[in-house]
Coordinates of all heavy atoms in Angstrom, one line a residue:
M14 N 0.8 -1.2 0.0 CA 0.0 0.0 0.0 C 0.9 1.3 0.0 O 1.9 1.3 0.7 CB -0.9 0.0 1.2 CG -1.9 1.1 1.2 SD -3.1 1.0 2.6 CE -4.1 -0.3 2.1
K15 N 0.4 2.3 -0.8 CA 1.2 3.5 -0.8 C 0.5 4.6 0.0 O -0.7 4.4 0.4 CB 1.3 4.0 -2.2 CG 2.2 3.1 -3.1 CD 2.2 3.7 -4.5 CE 2.9 2.7 -5.4 NZ 2.6 2.9 -6.8
C16 N 1.2 5.7 0.3 CA 0.6 6.7 1.1 C -0.7 7.2 0.6 O -1.7 7.4 1.4 CB 1.6 7.9 1.2 SG 3.1 7.4 2.1
D17 N -0.8 7.5 -0.7 CA -2.1 8.1 -1.2 C -3.2 7.1 -1.0 O -4.3 7.4 -0.8 CB -1.9 8.6 -2.6 CG -1.4 7.6 -3.6 OD1 -0.9 6.5 -3.1 OD2 -1.6 7.8 -4.8
E18 N -2.9 5.8 -1.2 CA -3.9 4.7 -1.0 C -4.4 4.7 0.5 O -5.6 4.7 0.8 CB -3.4 3.4 -1.3 CG -3.2 3.2 -2.8 CD -2.6 1.8 -3.1 OE1 -1.4 1.7 -2.9 OE2 -3.3 0.9 -3.5
L19 N -3.4 4.8 1.4 CA -3.7 4.8 2.8 C -4.6 6.0 3.2 O -5.6 5.8 3.9 CB -2.5 4.8 3.7 CG -2.9 4.6 5.1 CD1 -2.5 3.2 5.6 CD2 -2.3 5.7 6.0
V20 N -4.3 7.1 2.6 CA -5.1 8.3 2.9 C -6.6 8.1 2.5 O -7.5 8.4 3.2 CB -4.5 9.6 2.3 CG1 -5.5 10.7 2.4 CG2 -3.2 9.9 3.0
N21 N -6.7 7.4 1.3 CA -8.1 7.1 0.8 C -8.8 6.2 1.8 O -10.0 6.3 1.9 CB -8.0 6.5 -0.6 CG -7.7 7.5 -1.6 OD1 -8.0 8.7 -1.5 ND2 -7.1 7.0 -2.7
Y22 N -8.1 5.3 2.4 CA -8.8 4.3 3.2 C -8.8 4.7 4.7 O -9.4 4.0 5.5 CB -8.0 3.0 3.2 CG -8.1 2.2 1.8 CD1 -6.9 1.8 1.2 CD2 -9.3 2.0 1.2 CE1 -7.0 1.1 0.0 CE2 -9.4 1.4 0.0 CZ -8.2 0.9 -0.6 OH -8.3 0.3 -1.8
L23 N -8.2 5.8 5.0 CA -8.0 6.2 6.4 C -9.3 6.4 7.1 O -9.4 5.9 8.3 CB -7.2 7.5 6.5 CG -6.6 7.9 7.8 CD1 -5.6 6.7 8.2 CD2 -5.8 9.2 7.7
S24 N -10.3 7.0 6.5 CA -11.5 7.2 7.2 C -12.2 5.9 7.5 O -12.7 5.7 8.6 CB -12.4 8.0 6.2 OG -13.7 8.0 6.7
D25 N -12.2 5.0 6.6 CA -12.8 3.7 6.8 C -11.9 2.9 7.9 O -12.5 2.1 8.6 CB -12.9 2.9 5.6 CG -14.0 3.4 4.7 OD1 -15.0 3.9 5.3 OD2 -13.9 3.3 3.5
Y26 N -10.6 3.1 7.8 CA -9.8 2.4 8.8 C -10.1 2.8 10.2 O -10.3 2.0 11.1 CB -8.3 2.8 8.5 CG -7.3 2.2 9.5 CD1 -6.9 0.8 9.3 CD2 -6.8 2.9 10.5 CE1 -6.0 0.3 10.3 CE2 -5.9 2.4 11.4 CZ -5.5 1.1 11.3 OH -4.6 0.5 12.2
I27 N -10.3 4.1 10.4 CA -10.6 4.6 11.7 C -12.0 4.2 12.1 O -12.2 3.8 13.3 CB -10.6 6.2 11.7 CG1 -9.1 6.6 11.6 CG2 -11.1 6.8 13.0 CD1 -8.9 8.1 11.3
D28 N -12.9 4.1 11.2 CA -14.3 3.6 11.5 C -14.3 2.1 11.6 O -15.4 1.5 11.8 CB -15.3 4.1 10.4 CG -15.5 5.6 10.6 OD1 -15.2 6.2 11.7 OD2 -15.9 6.2 9.6
Q29 N -13.2 1.5 11.3 CA -13.1 0.0 11.3 C -14.1 -0.6 10.3 O -14.8 -1.6 10.6 CB -13.4 -0.6 12.7 CG -12.3 0.0 13.7 CD -12.4 -0.6 15.0 OE1 -13.4 -1.0 15.5 NE2 -11.2 -0.7 15.7
N30 N -14.2 0.0 9.2 CA -15.1 -0.5 8.1 C -14.3 -1.2 7.0 O -14.9 -1.5 6.0 CB -15.8 0.7 7.4 CG -16.9 1.2 8.3 OD1 -17.5 0.5 9.1 ND2 -17.2 2.5 8.2
L31 N -13.0 -1.4 7.2 CA -12.2 -2.0 6.1 C -12.3 -3.5 6.2 O -12.5 -4.1 7.2 CB -10.7 -1.6 6.3 CG -10.3 -0.2 5.9 CD1 -8.8 -0.1 6.0 CD2 -10.7 0.1 4.5
D32 N -12.2 -4.1 5.0 CA -12.0 -5.6 5.0 C -10.8 -6.0 5.7 O -9.9 -5.2 5.8 CB -11.8 -6.1 3.5 CG -13.1 -5.8 2.7 OD1 -14.1 -5.6 3.3 OD2 -13.0 -5.9 1.4
E33 N -10.7 -7.2 6.2 CA -9.6 -7.6 6.9 C -8.3 -7.5 6.1 O -7.3 -7.0 6.7 CB -9.7 -9.1 7.3 CG -9.0 -9.4 8.6 CD -9.4 -10.8 9.1 OE1 -10.5 -11.1 9.1 OE2 -8.4 -11.6 9.4
D34 N -8.3 -7.8 4.8 CA -7.1 -7.7 4.0 C -6.6 -6.3 4.0 O -5.4 -6.0 4.1 CB -7.4 -8.2 2.6 CG -7.4 -9.7 2.5 OD1 -7.1 -10.3 3.5 OD2 -7.7 -10.2 1.4
L35 N -7.5 -5.4 3.7 CA -7.2 -4.0 3.6 C -6.7 -3.4 4.9 O -5.7 -2.6 5.0 CB -8.4 -3.1 3.1 CG -8.6 -3.1 1.6 CD1 -9.8 -2.3 1.3 CD2 -7.4 -2.4 0.9
R36 N -7.3 -3.9 6.0 CA -6.9 -3.4 7.3 C -5.5 -3.8 7.6 O -4.7 -3.1 8.2 CB -7.9 -3.9 8.4 CG -7.8 -3.0 9.6 CD -8.8 -3.5 10.7 NE -8.5 -4.9 11.1 CZ -9.3 -5.9 11.3 NH1 -10.6 -5.6 11.2 NH2 -9.0 -7.0 11.6
E37 N -5.2 -5.0 7.2 CA -3.8 -5.5 7.4 C -2.8 -4.8 6.6 O -1.7 -4.4 7.1 CB -3.7 -7.0 7.1 CG -4.1 -7.9 8.3 CD -4.2 -9.4 8.0 OE1 -3.5 -9.8 7.1 OE2 -4.9 -10.1 8.7
D38 N -3.2 -4.5 5.4 CA -2.3 -3.7 4.5 C -2.1 -2.3 5.1 O -0.9 -1.8 5.1 CB -2.9 -3.5 3.1 CG -2.7 -4.7 2.2 OD1 -2.0 -5.7 2.7 OD2 -3.2 -4.7 1.1
A39 N -3.1 -1.8 5.6 CA -3.0 -0.4 6.2 C -2.2 -0.4 7.4 O -1.3 0.4 7.7 CB -4.4 0.1 6.6
Q40 N -2.3 -1.5 8.3 CA -1.6 -1.6 9.5 C -0.1 -1.7 9.2 O 0.8 -1.2 9.8 CB -2.0 -2.7 10.4 CG -3.2 -2.2 11.3 CD -3.9 -3.4 11.9 OE1 -3.8 -4.6 11.5 NE2 -4.7 -3.1 13.0
E41 N 0.2 -2.6 8.2 CA 1.5 -2.8 7.7 C 2.2 -1.5 7.3 O 3.3 -1.2 7.6 CB 1.5 -3.8 6.6 CG 2.5 -4.9 6.7 CD 2.3 -6.0 5.7 OE1 2.8 -5.8 4.5 OE2 1.5 -6.9 5.9
H42 N 1.4 -0.7 6.5 CA 2.0 0.6 6.0 C 2.2 1.5 7.2 O 3.2 2.2 7.2 CB 1.0 1.2 5.0 CG 1.6 2.4 4.4 ND1 2.4 2.5 3.3 CD2 1.4 3.7 4.8 CE1 2.7 3.7 3.1 NE2 2.2 4.5 4.0
L43 N 1.2 1.6 8.1 CA 1.4 2.5 9.2 C 2.6 2.1 10.1 O 3.2 3.0 10.7 CB 0.1 2.5 10.1 CG -1.1 3.2 9.5 CD1 -2.4 2.8 10.1 CD2 -0.9 4.7 9.6
A44 N 2.9 0.8 10.1 CA 4.0 0.4 11.0 C 5.4 0.9 10.4 O 6.3 1.0 11.1 CB 4.1 -1.1 11.1
T45 N 5.4 1.2 9.1 CA 6.6 1.6 8.5 C 6.7 3.0 8.0 O 7.7 3.5 7.6 CB 6.9 0.7 7.3 OG1 5.8 0.8 6.4 CG2 7.1 -0.8 7.7
C46 N 5.6 3.7 8.0 CA 5.5 5.0 7.4 C 5.2 6.1 8.5 O 4.0 6.1 9.0 CB 4.5 5.1 6.3 SG 4.5 6.7 5.5
H47 N 6.2 6.9 8.8 CA 5.9 7.9 9.9 C 4.9 8.9 9.5 O 4.1 9.3 10.2 CB 7.3 8.6 10.2 CG 7.1 9.7 11.2 ND1 6.9 9.5 12.5 CD2 7.2 11.0 11.0 CE1 6.8 10.6 13.1 NE2 7.0 11.6 12.3
N48 N 5.0 9.4 8.2 CA 4.0 10.4 7.7 C 2.6 10.0 7.9 O 1.8 10.7 8.4 CB 4.3 10.6 6.2 CG 5.4 11.6 6.0 OD1 6.0 12.1 6.9 ND2 5.8 11.8 4.7
C49 N 2.3 8.7 7.6 CA 0.9 8.3 7.7 C 0.5 8.1 9.1 O -0.7 8.3 9.4 CB 0.8 7.0 6.9 SG 0.8 7.2 5.1
R50 N 1.4 7.8 10.0 CA 1.1 7.7 11.4 C 0.7 9.1 11.9 O -0.3 9.2 12.7 CB 2.2 7.1 12.3 CG 2.2 5.6 12.2 CD 2.9 5.0 13.4 NE 4.2 5.5 13.6 CZ 5.3 5.1 13.1 NH1 5.2 4.1 12.2 NH2 6.5 5.6 13.3
V51 N 1.4 10.1 11.5 CA 1.1 11.5 11.9 C -0.3 11.9 11.4 O -1.1 12.4 12.1 CB 2.1 12.5 11.4 CG1 1.7 13.9 11.6 CG2 3.5 12.2 12.0
V52 N -0.6 11.5 10.1 CA -1.9 11.8 9.6 C -3.0 11.1 10.3 O -4.0 11.7 10.6 CB -1.9 11.5 8.0 CG1 -3.3 11.6 7.4 CG2 -0.9 12.4 7.3
L53 N -2.8 9.8 10.6 CA -3.8 9.0 11.3 C -4.1 9.7 12.7 O -5.2 9.8 13.1 CB -3.2 7.6 11.5 CG -4.1 6.7 12.4 CD1 -5.4 6.4 11.7 CD2 -3.4 5.4 12.7
D54 N -3.0 10.0 13.3 CA -3.1 10.7 14.6 C -3.9 11.9 14.6 O -4.8 12.2 15.4 CB -1.7 11.0 15.1 CG -1.5 10.9 16.6 OD1 -2.0 9.8 17.1 OD2 -1.0 11.8 17.2
T55 N -3.5 12.8 13.6 CA -4.3 14.1 13.5 C -5.7 13.9 13.2 O -6.6 14.5 13.7 CB -3.6 14.9 12.3 OG1 -2.2 14.9 12.5 CG2 -4.2 16.3 12.2
T56 N -6.0 12.9 12.3 CA -7.4 12.7 11.9 C -8.2 12.1 13.1 O -9.3 12.5 13.3 CB -7.4 11.6 10.8 OG1 -6.5 12.1 9.7 CG2 -8.8 11.5 10.2
Q57 N -7.6 11.2 13.9 CA -8.2 10.6 15.0 C -8.5 11.7 16.0 O -9.6 11.7 16.6 CB -7.4 9.5 15.6 CG -7.6 8.2 14.9 CD -6.8 7.1 15.5 OE1 -5.6 7.3 15.9 NE2 -7.3 5.9 15.6
K58 N -7.6 12.6 16.3 CA -7.8 13.7 17.2 C -8.9 14.6 16.8 O -9.8 15.0 17.6 CB -6.5 14.5 17.4 CG -5.6 13.9 18.4 CD -4.3 14.8 18.6 CE -3.2 14.0 19.2 NZ -1.9 14.4 18.8
M59 N -9.0 14.9 15.5 CA -10.0 15.7 14.9 C -11.4 15.1 15.1 O -12.4 15.7 15.5 CB -9.7 15.9 13.4 CG -10.6 17.0 12.9 SD -10.0 17.4 11.2 CE -11.4 18.4 10.7
I60 N -11.5 13.8 14.9 CA -12.7 13.0 15.1 C -13.1 13.1 16.5 O -14.3 13.3 16.9 CB -12.6 11.6 14.5 CG1 -12.5 11.7 13.0 CG2 -13.8 10.7 14.9 CD1 -12.2 10.3 12.3
F61 N -12.1 12.9 17.4 CA -12.4 12.9 18.8 C -12.9 14.2 19.3 O -13.9 14.3 20.0 CB -11.0 12.6 19.6 CG -11.1 12.6 21.0 CD1 -11.8 11.5 21.7 CD2 -10.6 13.6 21.8 CE1 -11.9 11.5 23.1 CE2 -10.7 13.6 23.2 CZ -11.3 12.6 23.8
L62 N -12.4 15.3 18.8 CA -12.8 16.7 19.1 C -14.3 16.9 18.6 O -15.1 17.4 19.4 CB -11.9 17.7 18.5 CG -10.6 17.9 19.2 CD1 -9.7 18.9 18.4 CD2 -10.7 18.3 20.6
Y63 N -14.6 16.4 17.4 CA -15.9 16.5 16.9 C -16.9 15.8 17.8 O -18.0 16.3 18.2 CB -16.0 15.9 15.5 CG -15.9 17.0 14.4 CD1 -14.6 17.5 14.1 CD2 -17.0 17.5 13.8 CE1 -14.5 18.4 13.1 CE2 -16.9 18.4 12.9 CZ -15.7 18.9 12.5 OH -15.6 19.9 11.5
R64 N -16.5 14.6 18.3 CA -17.4 13.8 19.1 C -17.5 14.5 20.5 O -18.6 14.4 21.1 CB -16.9 12.4 19.3 CG -17.1 11.7 17.9 CD -16.7 10.2 18.0 NE -16.9 9.7 16.6 CZ -16.3 8.6 16.1 NH1 -15.4 8.0 16.8 NH2 -16.6 8.2 14.9
Q65 N -16.5 15.1 21.0 CA -16.6 15.8 22.3 C -17.6 16.9 22.2 O -18.2 17.3 23.2 CB -15.2 16.3 22.7 CG -14.4 15.4 23.6 CD -13.3 16.1 24.2 OE1 -12.7 17.1 23.7 NE2 -12.9 15.7 25.4
N66 N -17.6 17.5 21.1 CA -18.6 18.6 20.9 C -20.0 18.1 20.7 O -20.9 18.9 20.2 CB -18.1 19.5 19.7 CG -16.9 20.3 20.1 OD1 -16.7 20.6 21.3 ND2 -16.1 20.6 19.1
G67 N -20.2 16.9 20.9 CA -21.6 16.3 20.8 C -21.9 15.9 19.4 O -23.1 15.6 19.1
R68 N -21.0 15.9 18.5 CA -21.3 15.4 17.2 C -20.9 13.9 17.1 O -20.0 13.5 17.7 CB -20.5 16.2 16.1 CG -20.8 17.7 16.2 CD -20.1 18.4 15.1 NE -20.0 19.8 15.4 CZ -19.9 20.8 14.5 NH1 -19.8 20.4 13.2 NH2 -19.8 22.0 14.8
R69 N -21.6 13.2 16.2 CA -21.4 11.8 16.2 C -20.2 11.5 15.3 O -19.6 10.4 15.4 CB -22.6 11.1 15.6 CG -23.7 11.3 16.6 CD -24.9 10.5 16.2 NE -24.7 9.1 16.4 CZ -25.5 8.1 16.0 NH1 -26.6 8.4 15.5 NH2 -25.3 6.9 16.2
G70 N -19.8 12.4 14.4 CA -18.6 12.2 13.6 C -18.4 13.4 12.7 O -19.2 14.3 12.8
I71 N -17.4 13.3 12.0 CA -17.1 14.4 11.1 C -18.1 14.3 9.9 O -18.1 13.2 9.3 CB -15.7 14.4 10.6 CG1 -14.7 14.6 11.8 CG2 -15.4 15.5 9.5 CD1 -13.3 14.6 11.4
P72 N -18.8 15.3 9.6 CA -19.7 15.2 8.4 C -18.9 14.9 7.1 O -17.8 15.3 7.0 CB -20.3 16.6 8.3 CG -20.0 17.3 9.6 CD -18.9 16.6 10.2
A73 N -19.6 14.1 6.3 CA -18.8 13.7 5.0 C -18.2 14.9 4.3 O -17.1 14.7 3.8 CB -19.8 13.0 4.1
E74 N -18.9 16.0 4.3 CA -18.3 17.1 3.6 C -17.0 17.6 4.2 O -16.1 17.8 3.5 CB -19.4 18.2 3.7 CG -19.5 19.2 2.5 CD -20.6 20.2 2.9 OE1 -21.8 19.9 2.7 OE2 -20.2 21.3 3.3
R75 N -17.0 17.7 5.5 CA -15.8 18.1 6.2 C -14.7 17.1 6.0 O -13.5 17.4 6.0 CB -16.1 18.4 7.7 CG -17.1 19.4 7.9 CD -16.4 20.8 7.8 NE -15.4 21.0 8.8 CZ -14.2 21.6 8.5 NH1 -14.0 22.2 7.4 NH2 -13.3 21.7 9.5
R76 N -15.1 15.8 6.0 CA -14.1 14.8 5.9 C -13.4 14.9 4.5 O -12.2 14.8 4.4 CB -14.8 13.4 5.9 CG -14.9 12.9 7.3 CD -15.3 11.5 7.3 NE -15.8 11.0 8.5 CZ -15.8 9.8 9.0 NH1 -15.2 8.9 8.2 NH2 -16.3 9.5 10.1
G77 N -14.2 15.1 3.5 CA -13.6 15.2 2.1 C -12.6 16.3 2.1 O -11.6 16.2 1.5
E78 N -13.0 17.4 2.7 CA -12.1 18.6 2.8 C -10.8 18.2 3.5 O -9.7 18.6 3.0 CB -12.9 19.7 3.6 CG -12.5 21.1 3.3 CD -13.3 22.0 4.2 OE1 -14.5 22.1 4.0 OE2 -12.7 22.6 5.1
L79 N -11.0 17.6 4.7 CA -9.8 17.2 5.5 C -8.9 16.3 4.6 O -7.7 16.5 4.6 CB -10.3 16.5 6.7 CG -9.2 15.8 7.6 CD1 -8.3 16.8 8.2 CD2 -9.8 14.9 8.6
F80 N -9.5 15.3 4.0 CA -8.6 14.3 3.3 C -7.9 14.9 2.1 O -6.8 14.6 1.8 CB -9.4 13.1 3.0 CG -9.7 12.2 4.2 CD1 -10.9 12.0 4.6 CD2 -8.6 11.8 4.9 CE1 -11.2 11.3 5.7 CE2 -8.8 11.0 6.1 CZ -10.1 10.8 6.5
S81 N -8.7 15.8 1.4 CA -8.0 16.4 0.3 C -6.8 17.3 0.7 O -5.8 17.4 0.1 CB -9.0 17.2 -0.6 OG -9.4 18.3 0.0
R82 N -7.0 18.0 1.9 CA -5.9 18.7 2.4 C -4.7 17.9 2.8 O -3.6 18.2 2.6 CB -6.4 19.5 3.7 CG -5.8 20.9 3.7 CD -6.3 21.7 4.9 NE -7.8 21.8 5.0 CZ -8.5 22.1 6.1 NH1 -7.9 22.3 7.2 NH2 -9.8 22.3 6.0
L83 N -5.1 16.7 3.4 CA -4.0 15.8 3.8 C -3.2 15.3 2.6 O -2.0 15.2 2.6 CB -4.6 14.6 4.6 CG -5.1 14.9 6.0 CD1 -5.8 13.7 6.6 CD2 -4.0 15.4 6.9
Q84 N -4.0 15.0 1.5 CA -3.4 14.5 0.3 C -2.5 15.6 -0.3 O -1.4 15.2 -0.8 CB -4.5 14.1 -0.7 CG -4.8 12.6 -0.5 CD -6.0 12.2 -1.3 OE1 -6.9 12.9 -1.5 NE2 -5.9 11.0 -1.9
D85 N -2.9 16.8 -0.3 CA -2.1 17.9 -0.7 C -0.8 17.9 0.1 O 0.3 18.1 -0.5 CB -2.8 19.2 -0.6 CG -3.9 19.4 -1.6 OD1 -3.9 18.5 -2.6 OD2 -4.7 20.3 -1.5
A86 N -0.9 17.8 1.4 CA 0.3 17.8 2.2 C 1.2 16.7 1.9 O 2.4 16.9 1.8 CB -0.1 17.8 3.7
F87 N 0.7 15.5 1.6 CA 1.5 14.4 1.2 C 2.3 14.6 -0.1 O 3.4 14.4 -0.2 CB 0.6 13.2 1.0 CG 0.5 12.3 2.2 CD1 -0.7 11.9 2.6 CD2 1.6 11.9 2.9 CE1 -0.8 11.1 3.8 CE2 1.6 11.2 4.0 CZ 0.3 10.7 4.5
Q88 N 1.5 15.1 -1.0 CA 2.1 15.3 -2.3 C 3.3 16.4 -2.2 O 4.3 16.2 -2.8 CB 1.1 15.7 -3.4 CG 0.5 14.5 -4.1 CD -0.9 14.7 -4.5 OE1 -1.4 15.8 -4.7 NE2 -1.6 13.6 -4.7
A89 N 3.0 17.4 -1.4 CA 4.0 18.4 -1.2 C 5.3 17.8 -0.6 O 6.4 18.1 -1.0 CB 3.5 19.5 -0.3
R90 N 5.1 16.9 0.4 CA 6.2 16.3 1.1 C 6.9 15.3 0.2 O 8.1 15.3 0.3 CB 5.7 15.6 2.3 CG 6.1 16.3 3.6 CD 5.6 15.5 4.8 NE 4.5 16.1 5.4 CZ 3.8 15.5 6.4 NH1 4.2 14.4 7.0 NH2 2.8 16.1 6.9
Q91 N 6.2 14.6 -0.6 CA 6.8 13.6 -1.5 C 7.7 14.3 -2.5 O 8.6 13.7 -3.0 CB 5.8 12.7 -2.1 CG 5.4 11.6 -1.1 CD 4.1 10.9 -1.6 OE1 3.5 11.3 -2.6 NE2 3.8 9.8 -1.0
G92 N 7.3 15.5 -2.8 CA 8.1 16.3 -3.8 C 9.4 16.8 -3.3 O 10.2 17.3 -4.1
E93 N 9.6 16.8 -2.0 CA 10.8 17.4 -1.5 C 12.0 16.6 -1.8 O 12.0 15.4 -1.9 CB 10.7 17.5 0.1 CG 10.0 18.8 0.5 CD 9.7 18.8 2.0 OE1 10.2 17.9 2.7 OE2 8.8 19.5 2.4
Ligands
LIG105 ZN1 2.6 6.4 4.2

């Protein structure tokens, strides 16, 4: 699995909606990729904050925004 794939699956990974195979791939990638662990951490914190504010989750719209921003950050970093 590559970073951009992981970012695509991240939301489902956090929600534990991934197939077992994909989840294992994601875990394998997270074990070796520092960037993705940071992204996972940030995303989980964001979801936690949303839930603390009495929301059940990040609305799909906001999620899309978040993930496209994360993907931009990845691409910028990979270009370095
Ligand atoms: Zn990665």
Side-chain angles (χ1 to χ4, degrees):
M14 187 175 285
K15 290 178 189 162
C16 291
D17 56 344
E18 289 175 284
L19 186 105
V20 170
N21 283 333
Y22 292 130
L23 198 58
S24 166
D25 286 329
Y26 178 79
I27 291 169
D28 290 338
Q29 301 187 328
N30 285 335
L31 286 184
D32 293 345
E33 206 171 315
D34 281 356
L35 274 176
R36 202 180 60 219
E37 275 174 25
D38 279 357
Q40 274 168 344
E41 231 170 81
H42 183 88
L43 284 163
T45 57
C46 183
H47 175 74
N48 279 356
C49 286
R50 278 207 304 276
V51 172
V52 171
L53 174 69
D54 214 49
T55 307
T56 308
Q57 276 178 324
K58 275 183 197 146
M59 193 171 169
I60 290 172
F61 180 73
L62 286 177
Y63 262 82
R64 287 184 180 155
Q65 264 197 330
N66 288 332
R68 303 185 197 203
R69 298 186 68 185
I71 298 179
E74 217 181 274
R75 297 281 300 142
R76 276 194 198 206
E78 202 181 293
L79 169 70
F80 287 119
S81 69
R82 217 180 303 160
L83 291 174
Q84 270 172 321
D85 287 349
F87 265 132
Q88 269 149 22
R90 249 183 258 179
Q91 279 168 351
E93 272 170 18

